[in-house]
Amino acid sequence: MIETNQGDVVLRWSRHPRCVGLARWELRKALERWGLSRLEESAVLVLSELLTNAGRHARVSPGREIETRYVRLADTLRIEVHDATPKQPEKREPAPENCGGRGLVVVEALADSCGLKDRLGPGKAVWAELSPSSE
């Protein structure tokens, strides 16, 4: 774990599915430290969706990992998931009988705002912001 001077938490993960649970645990610790535990339920779900998408769809070459950043912005939480794949996530409207494909729909429903941004090096960062007022 890297904690920046601003208090941001930066972690790197493999594509293994168990990393999602570990990332949620780290997010819960950060939320408690920042006094934002009331965001926990929505925040861990948003993180789970973004990190699961990166693990499933990002083709991470050897030596490259998926990175999460948890950033406190005043009374707002920003979750970022960085990967080295330039392909952008696509929001889908799956058929009711399909089990998957709703991740970005869930993120948009829970977050105050979300989007994509460029990052240093190859790939992209997908982000979402949540605040207690949206709960």
Side-chain angles (χ1 to χ4, degrees):
M1 176 177 76
I2 300 168
E3 190 157 345
T4 68
N5 291 338
Q6 297 81 18
D8 303 349
V9 176
V10 180
L11 300 151
R12 293 188 178 90
W13 310 98
S14 74
R15 291 177 55 208
H16 195 284
R18 76 164 181 229
C19 291
V20 175
L22 297 171
R24 287 191 304 247
W25 183 68
E26 292 292 342
L27 177 57
R28 285 183 180 104
K29 290 190 320 186
L31 290 170
E32 184 175 335
R33 201 168 50 249
W34 295 334
L36 293 174
S37 293
R38 61 196 175 276
L39 294 176
E40 182 178 325
E41 189 175 325
S42 295
V44 297
L45 185 51
V46 166
L47 171 64
S48 295
E49 295 297 342
L50 295 180
L51 190 53
T52 298
N53 281 350
R56 282 188 185 153
H57 304 293
R59 296 296 167 223
V60 180
S61 59
R64 297 210 182 260
E65 297 174 307
I66 298 167
E67 181 178 278
T68 56
R69 291 178 182 252
Y70 314 140
V71 181
R72 182 175 184 190
L73 305 167
D75 209 24
T76 300
L77 169 69
R78 182 180 181 101
I79 299 169
E80 296 181 3
V81 176
H82 297 240
D83 66 62
T85 302
K87 184 178 181 207
Q88 296 186 4
E90 297 175 21
K91 186 171 94 173
R92 296 183 285 168
E93 296 297 331
E97 65 274 5
N98 290 353
C99 293
R102 292 172 176 78
L104 293 178
V105 174
V106 170
V107 170
E108 285 183 351
L110 293 173
D112 294 326
S113 57
C114 57
L116 247 47
K117 71 176 193 170
D118 291 331
R119 54 176 248 150
L120 295 176
K124 66 187 171 302
V126 182
W127 59 269
E129 292 183 358
L130 297 99
S131 66
S133 60
S134 65
E135 291 267 293

